[in-house]
Amino acid sequence: MVQPEITAGLLVIGDEILSGRTRDVNIQTTAQFCTDLGIELKEVRVVADDTDAIIAAVDALRTRYTYVFTTGGIGPTHDDITADAIAKAFGVDLPIHPEARAMLEARWAETGAEATPARLRMARIPQGGELIVNAVSAAPGFRIGNVHVMAGVPKIMAAMLETIAPTLEGGRKVDSRTVSAGIGEGAIGDPLAEIQSRYPDVKIGSYPRMGNTRIMTYLVLRSHEADPLDRATAEVQGLVDRLHAEKNIVLPKEPYA
Amino acid sequence: MVQPEITAGLLVIGDEILSGRTRDVNIQTTAQFCTDLGIELKEVRVVADDTDAIIAAVDALRTRYTYVFTTGGIGPTHDDITADAIAKAFGVDLPIHPEARAMLEARWAETGAEATPARLRMARIPQGGELIVNAVSAAPGFRIGNVHVMAGVPKIMAAMLETIAPTLEGGRKVDSRTVSAGIGEGAIGDPLAEIQSRYPDVKIGSYPRMGNTRIMTYLVLRSHEADPLDRATAEVQGLVDRLHAEKNIVLPKEPYA
């Protein structure tokens, strides 16, 4: 039996990404996390700290994909409204979670911080949600339904992904091979399309990069199946070797993997 | 009369972003571009090189926002299907555009490249589309309706944004001020929420960062109106100064703007 496809959508929440003030790094972290687990990340959305926008995006993603991951908006300040929006999306209350409160209070006891209303916002968890504890911050994320709500600070987001990894069902792993070509995409497009047409189980992507000294094209082959992947990779490598020989191109050894 | 709000949606197209292989940089570039022009970037979506996914996202964004920008998938290889998808979304043909072809042929004449079918893919422009010429690459992007279709290679994307800037209607510019606090969000959340409640025309965001030596919180105030922005900023700075004094915190001078 073929394993079912396991899919995910990622929702990045934060005005600071949309204003350009902050460069997002959680998209790539989550994308690599999914790839490692055999989960296919199908879509990412970035929305503002706006309740209606968050609800609309969460509802769209959670009905479409196996898992939804969100990052951002679970801190103690007034602009952190993700928990409120998720509770609304699921139609549940947002009470203080005793365990979350206890974890936060233990940390506050260490640091001498007071249990202010702002700090207690971080203990509010939608009814029925399960905590996502992490090693970096005492403030937990939470899972409700198929939606995993996590922090925006990259170190905390990464720690929360580590926490949830064992709870996720992985799909078939996708293997990939990269062939580096010291030529532009235009020179390789037609024979590459011909190879692609003969390997329906292999997805061949072509990624140009303008280096300082020459145009490079990275040809990335991806498949669930090792055999066609190896055969298609050998054909692409042969094509690139022929083109390099024709054009007297010798690529330096590079650490690119 | 109050100027209307000018909004935008950004669509990033590419398997390489969703697999985690490539870290996107075009989101921040486009976000800063919009902020500079007074255009409010409301939403970003990232989808795979998949015709249906591209069409669905473009249709959702183009009906909702003043402008749509897309990046990725307009190169010469078989996996570059953005032009095909946009033509389908608009229900128009995708013929070879004579001017685009001429521009490409002029470049190929310089470099000695042949006009292969793969290369000619880059001259296909949806019927009615206008070219977006750029200084870096001979392959143009195009505008059709309110959708601006641009390249994924960051240098080319940036050059294309420069090309379209004069054609876009800017909205009211948003000014911003940043106050740096050497304390966590929890210590400042309540009085900050109180200030926010008195300044409805100013949006106050709070962005924690875990530095190597201390937790920092950057408080970013944004508004269309200079007067409430200045007054709210003075209040936030006063609050931070008081908290720093209470806790004997002296921040080093930092270049952060």
Side-chain angles (χ1 to χ4, degrees):
Chain A
M1 199 185 83
V2 173
Q3 271 184 279
E5 190 187 41
I6 309 290
T7 59
L10 169 65
L11 178 60
V12 179
I13 298 161
D15 291 352
E16 72 277 21
I17 308 295
L18 292 173
S19 74
R21 186 178 177 283
T22 300
R23 173 170 292 184
D24 166 79
V25 300
N26 291 321
I27 293 176
Q28 192 182 33
T29 301
T30 307
Q32 289 173 335
F33 172 83
C34 287
T35 296
D36 289 346
L37 290 179
I39 294 170
E40 190 168 356
L41 181 61
K42 300 285 269 188
E43 183 175 353
V44 179
R45 296 193 188 188
V46 186
V47 299
D49 298 308
D50 175 277
T51 304
D52 293 340
I54 297 170
I55 292 174
V58 161
D59 282 344
L61 297 175
R62 73 190 174 102
T63 52
R64 242 169 259 186
Y65 306 118
T66 315
Y67 300 116
V68 176
F69 307 117
T70 83
T71 174
I74 63 167
T77 52
H78 64 277
D79 57 332
D80 290 306
I81 59 169
T82 299
D84 306 71
I86 300 290
K88 265 197 185 174
F90 279 85
V92 299
D93 287 339
L94 185 65
I96 297 279
H97 189 292
E99 198 185 332
R101 180 181 186 139
M103 287 166 43
L104 286 161
E105 286 178 339
R107 178 67 61 97
W108 298 337
E110 282 173 30
T111 61
E114 283 171 70
T116 58
R119 288 199 176 94
L120 275 172
R121 284 174 61 83
M122 295 189 290
R124 298 175 314 147
I125 304 290
Q127 195 76 54
E130 289 176 15
L131 301 188
I132 300 173
V133 179
N134 76 96
V136 180
S137 150
F142 58 87
R143 179 190 68 74
I144 180 166
N146 61 341
V147 179
H148 300 73
V149 175
M150 293 173 281
V153 175
K155 282 182 197 173
I156 305 177
M157 174 65 178
M160 288 181 171
L161 287 172
E162 289 307 313
T163 301
I164 64 171
T167 73
L168 302 173
E169 186 186 358
R172 286 186 298 164
K173 290 254 180 120
V174 174
D175 265 344
S176 75
R177 308 269 187 277
T178 299
V179 175
S180 304
I183 45 186
E185 285 190 301
I188 205 166
D190 291 318
L192 194 69
E194 192 278 320
I195 296 175
Q196 173 69 86
S197 71
R198 285 185 288 109
Y199 289 94
D201 296 335
V202 179
K203 196 163 183 187
I204 309 178
S206 168
Y207 305 108
R209 190 174 301 170
M210 295 198 297
N212 288 326
T213 55
R214 68 159 64 249
I215 289 174
M216 293 290 299
T217 301
Y218 298 100
L219 305 165
V220 180
L221 299 90
R222 298 166 62 82
S223 181
H224 294 294
E225 310 291 340
D227 178 60
L229 181 59
D230 287 337
R231 285 185 291 123
T233 303
E235 290 210 34
V236 171
Q237 186 66 63
L239 166 65
V240 168
D241 290 346
R242 276 197 304 282
L243 289 169
H244 281 175
E246 274 174 26
K247 296 168 193 282
N248 289 316
I249 291 168
V250 180
L251 285 193
K253 291 279 176 211
E254 54 176 334
Y256 200 94
Chain B
M1 199 187 84
V2 173
Q3 272 185 278
E5 192 187 40
I6 309 289
T7 59
L10 169 65
L11 179 60
V12 179
I13 298 161
D15 292 351
E16 70 279 21
I17 308 294
L18 292 173
S19 73
R21 185 177 178 283
T22 300
R23 172 169 294 184
D24 165 79
V25 299
N26 291 320
I27 293 176
Q28 192 182 34
T29 301
T30 307
Q32 289 173 335
F33 171 82
C34 287
T35 296
D36 289 346
L37 290 180
I39 295 170
E40 190 167 355
L41 181 62
K42 302 284 269 189
E43 182 176 352
V44 179
R45 297 193 187 186
V46 186
V47 299
D49 297 309
D50 175 277
T51 303
D52 293 340
I54 296 169
I55 292 174
V58 161
D59 281 344
L61 297 176
R62 73 191 174 103
T63 53
R64 242 170 257 186
Y65 306 118
T66 316
Y67 300 118
V68 176
F69 307 117
T70 83
T71 173
I74 63 166
T77 52
H78 64 277
D79 58 333
D80 290 306
I81 59 170
T82 298
D84 307 72
I86 300 290
K88 266 199 186 173
F90 280 84
V92 298
D93 287 339
L94 185 65
I96 296 278
H97 189 292
E99 198 186 331
R101 180 181 186 140
M103 286 166 45
L104 287 160
E105 286 178 338
R107 178 68 58 97
W108 300 336
E110 282 173 30
T111 61
E114 283 169 71
T116 58
R119 288 200 176 96
L120 275 172
R121 283 173 61 82
M122 297 189 289
R124 298 174 314 148
I125 304 291
Q127 196 76 53
E130 289 175 16
L131 300 189
I132 300 174
V133 178
N134 77 95
V136 180
S137 149
F142 59 86
R143 180 190 67 74
I144 180 167
N146 62 341
V147 179
H148 300 72
V149 175
M150 293 173 281
V153 175
K155 282 183 198 172
I156 304 176
M157 174 64 176
M160 288 181 171
L161 287 172
E162 289 307 312
T163 301
I164 65 170
T167 72
L168 302 174
E169 186 186 359
R172 287 186 298 164
K173 290 253 181 123
V174 175
D175 264 346
S176 75
R177 308 269 187 277
T178 300
V179 176
S180 304
I183 47 187
E185 285 190 302
I188 205 166
D190 292 316
L192 194 70
E194 192 278 321
I195 296 174
Q196 174 69 86
S197 71
R198 287 185 288 106
Y199 290 94
D201 295 336
V202 179
K203 195 161 184 187
I204 308 179
S206 169
Y207 306 108
R209 192 174 301 170
M210 298 198 295
N212 288 326
T213 56
R214 67 159 65 248
I215 288 173
M216 292 292 299
T217 301
Y218 298 101
L219 305 165
V220 180
L221 299 90
R222 297 165 64 81
S223 181
H224 293 294
E225 309 291 341
D227 178 61
L229 180 60
D230 287 338
R231 286 185 290 122
T233 302
E235 290 210 35
V236 170
Q237 185 68 61
L239 166 64
V240 168
D241 289 346
R242 278 197 303 283
L243 290 168
H244 281 175
E246 274 175 26
K247 295 168 192 282
N248 290 316
I249 291 168
V250 179
L251 287 193
K253 291 277 176 214
E254 52 176 336
Y256 200 94

